[in-house]
Amino acid sequence: MIDLYSDTVTCPTPGMRRAISEAVVGDDMLGEDPTVNQLEARVAGMLGKQAAVFTCSGTQSNQIGLRTHCQPGDELLINSTGHIANFEGGAPAALSGVTVRTIEAPKGLLSPDDVCGMVNADDQHLCETRLLCLENTTNLGGGCVYPLQQMQQLAEWAWSSGLRMHLDGARLFNATAEGGYSLEDVGQCFDTISICFSKGLGCPMGSILVGNRKQIHRARRIRKLFGGALRQAGMVAAAALYALDNNVDRLREDHENARRLAALLSDIDGILLNADDVETNLIYFEIAEGFGSAVQLNNALADFGVRMCPLGNSRMRAVTHLDVNADDIPVVASAVRDAMASGIADRQVMGTGPHPK
Ligand SMILES: *Cc1c(COP(=O)(O)O)cnc(C)c1O
């Protein structure tokens, strides 16, 4: 199957499995796992930060990050399509007692104008506005890349307004592959940054939260509180180190494949897609009215050995990644063309399909 459901569906390669099996490990909760320590120091250095803490998942690392900055009763600001606001099970409220105030923004990219005036006055009736969260690349926003200057302006605004800055950088390496800026440039715009190894980088699990020494010290306490402190985690940190060596530079191939696929899809009758909107490895498109639903298309694609991710009634997401190669792209486009030509609107379906990870 050519699986474009998400960049999380990748399986560890033989090389990565070898790195995992050969990892030197110790008890990470005692700070004694050399592979975890190496990974944390390396990623902190890449972002120009003092420290990092390895976590189980992107959700966990975002939630540890926001709890590092916020107390129960505080609020955070985030674009309305943000993963933290929509796809983490209500965790800001459930785990930290934090209110999420969402802000509409095209492509999920906030601008200084969008946030201006959003900090509550010092009034006992109101939440204390504590944190601004950005996402780069934006997931539901379309895999879009923040311009560096926009992040810098938002940081300047947030810090001068007494807020902290957190980046959900689940796909930060996809952003820096296209954005024309470095990880260190990004590091300068945020207090804490979360990065996933289980997305385009091909690892079986693992994320990381970076920040200054004091914040990461506190983040370690919260990781323990949230049940995420680990023992011989070098087994998985080794996969992340392997990914940094082998799977970062190739992300442009995924973006190239995504743009080629988008161009082919945009020519198909009943598919609404502006190929120019595709900036990284996430492709979103609409199925035109009367042509059937996204679930119907996905079911039809299964007959051709292709899977995508239906979102609601008419929206579909397709994601390129390590396990999708250039030769797969025309195959996928033909499958969509043939499925649409066969007429999907009459297909019997159950449910509305899964949600995007
Ligand atoms: C996938 C993702 C996460 C983290 O998801 P996990 O499944 O918990 O690893 C966070 N933010 C964004 C934007 C994501 O796409």
Side-chain angles (χ1 to χ4, degrees), residues 216-240:
I216 297 305
H217 179 75
R218 181 165 159 68
R220 271 182 207 285
R221 281 191 150 276
I222 298 161
R223 183 180 68 157
K224 177 69 179 168
L225 179 71
F226 289 176
L230 299 166
R231 302 298 183 180
Q232 285 71 30
M235 301 295 286
V236 267

Side-chain angles (χ1 to χ4, degrees), residues 27-39:
D27 189 335
D28 180 48
M29 229 183 281
L30 302 176
E32 292 175 358
D33 189 302
T35 307
V36 172
N37 293 344
Q38 188 190 340
L39 176 68

